[in-house]
Amino acid sequence: MRVLVTGSAGFIGSHVVDALTARGHETVTLDLREGADVRDAEAVSSRLRGADAVCHQAAMVGLGTGLTDAVEYVSRNDLGTAVLLAGMAEAGVRHLVLAGSMVVYGEGAYTCARHGTVRPGPRAVADLDAGRFEPPCPQCGQPLAPGLVTEDAPADPRNVYATTKLAQEHLAAAWARATGGSAVSLRYHNVYGPRMPRDTPYAGVASFFRSALARGEAPAVFEDGRQRRDFVHVGDVARANAVALEAEAAAGKLTVYNTGSGDPRTVGEMARALADACGGPEPVVTGEYRLGDVRHVTADSSRLRGELGWKPETGFDEGMREFARAEMHDTRP
């Protein structure tokens, strides 16, 4: 199969290229770092010739630095996706795998002892300032128990980046309906591993911790360090893309899959594991927060396992030991 990979020089995209090549596929690359912009219709059109499928990884990622980034996020993520999909429609390419994200959910899944399944709204600044980080039940104000979020959970994006990732899915769904093509969105959870970018406001928390340790500094853990996340190795994510590209996806619709390890950990646990693996200083819990962050979001990836036969191969401890020694990139992912 001949696959166009956008964002092919980035953190995840470069691993996708490696995974596809190892499985005998031919890859065509498109990346802003190499002078090819997914918003350039001519560049997209030239690379779509003869393609059987597209794996769309190109995006501006992360929480960013506030609304000043909004125009750039929308341009790169949503305009770029629209240009790509228009080119695919014209070229007759009918199979798309999209790099989705768990950020479309907002907060994860919660249950209240009195009210069952509930969806808490954004946390109040006054609560965060006072160190009250757990979202209360929106009906009775009592503590909640976090659980695993499924693909059927309503979307509730909490920042500009999250909003653009949801818009990408809507664009892909519209393309699939209009062309009869098949579209798959892999909603990545917290991806980490070799080639992760260092020292940018757009990198993930694992990158921040690793960069601090490389400088001999203690990782700074926000809130109380008990936020739950699903840390999934980039090699497993790359294989999920390859499996999704090879599968017979439903025509005329978008299918979404959570892509996580299935092994929820706290941010504090991750910081400690990475510090131990690096032989660096112990993490420091700062109590600081970022307003756009959610408290807990962890994946139920059973649909991806059951329907496509994918499962993660790199465990948390092994992955952290590898990441402690891995090469990192200096460019934005």
Side-chain angles (χ1 to χ4, degrees):
M1 182 164 52
R2 182 179 172 92
V3 183
L4 169 61
V5 181
T6 71
S8 53
F11 168 42
I12 299 174
S14 64
H15 285 276
V16 170
V17 170
D18 290 348
L20 290 173
T21 302
R23 296 166 82 102
H25 300 294
E26 178 186 359
T27 60
V28 180
T29 61
L30 187 155
D31 196 283
L32 190 60
R33 298 164 186 80
E34 299 171 349
D37 194 327
V38 73
R39 295 168 291 185
D40 182 339
E42 290 187 9
V44 169
S45 178
S46 68
R47 286 163 174 78
L48 282 170
R49 295 190 191 107
D52 301 299
V54 172
C55 187
H56 184 29
Q57 305 292 317
M60 184 174 178
V61 303
L63 184 58
T65 56
L67 280 175
T68 55
D69 290 326
V71 173
E72 191 72 4
Y73 270 113
V74 172
S75 177
R76 291 198 190 191
N77 296 356
D78 299 337
L79 175 60
T81 298
V83 171
L84 175 65
L85 293 172
M88 291 175 65
E90 184 176 358
V93 180
R94 297 291 183 260
H95 192 22
L96 169 71
V97 173
L98 170 69
S101 175
M102 55 82 179
V103 296
V104 302
Y105 296 118
E107 286 285 354
Y110 291 88
T111 56
C112 171
R114 290 178 57 190
H115 297 104
T117 301
V118 296
R119 292 186 59 78
R123 294 179 290 173
V125 171
D127 286 339
L128 294 170
D129 285 341
R132 295 187 294 269
F133 300 120
E134 294 290 343
C137 175
Q139 298 183 47
C140 66
Q142 294 301 304
L144 299 174
L148 300 181
V149 65
T150 68
E151 294 89 347
D152 300 323
D156 184 18
R158 299 288 178 88
N159 55 58
V160 172
Y161 168 61
T163 302
T164 64
K165 295 306 289 184
L166 184 58
Q168 283 186 314
E169 290 192 348
H170 288 315
L171 288 166
W175 167 84
R177 286 193 298 270
T179 64
S182 63
V184 171
S185 178
L186 299 174
R187 289 179 175 170
Y188 303 159
H189 281 248
N190 290 73
V191 187
Y192 72 95
R195 306 176 203 162
M196 203 170 186
R198 78 174 92 227
D199 294 330
T200 88
Y202 303 89
V205 66
S207 172
F208 293 147
F209 293 163
R210 168 67 199 282
S211 296
L213 288 162
R215 297 189 299 268
E217 300 171 3
V221 180
F222 281 12
E223 302 188 17
D224 58 4
R226 297 176 185 171
Q227 321 78 301
R228 286 161 46 99
R229 297 292 187 269
D230 186 318
F231 299 102
V232 58
H233 191 272
V234 66
D236 290 326
V237 168
R239 281 192 306 101
N241 277 273
V243 168
L245 284 163
E246 294 166 353
E248 290 292 332
K253 63 178 289 188
L254 172 73
T255 304
V256 300
Y257 294 106
N258 284 334
T259 307
S261 69
D263 181 21
R265 301 286 181 134
T266 68
V267 172
E269 282 182 287
M270 192 269 284
R272 286 191 296 274
L274 195 53
D276 289 346
C278 288
E282 285 292 305
V284 175
V285 177
T286 69
E288 296 175 82
Y289 63 86
R290 297 192 304 178
L291 195 57
D293 282 343
V294 297
R295 180 60 174 174
H296 305 295
V297 56
T298 53
D300 179 346
S301 299
S302 58
R303 179 184 291 179
L304 181 58
R305 294 174 184 236
E307 294 186 9
L308 300 189
W310 170 90
K311 64 179 181 179
E313 294 180 351
T314 302
F316 178 80
D317 293 332
E318 174 192 356
M320 288 297 144
R321 287 193 296 269
E322 179 205 44
F323 185 46
R325 304 185 301 272
E327 174 191 7
M328 297 181 74
H329 283 179
D330 293 318
T331 55
R332 185 181 296 181

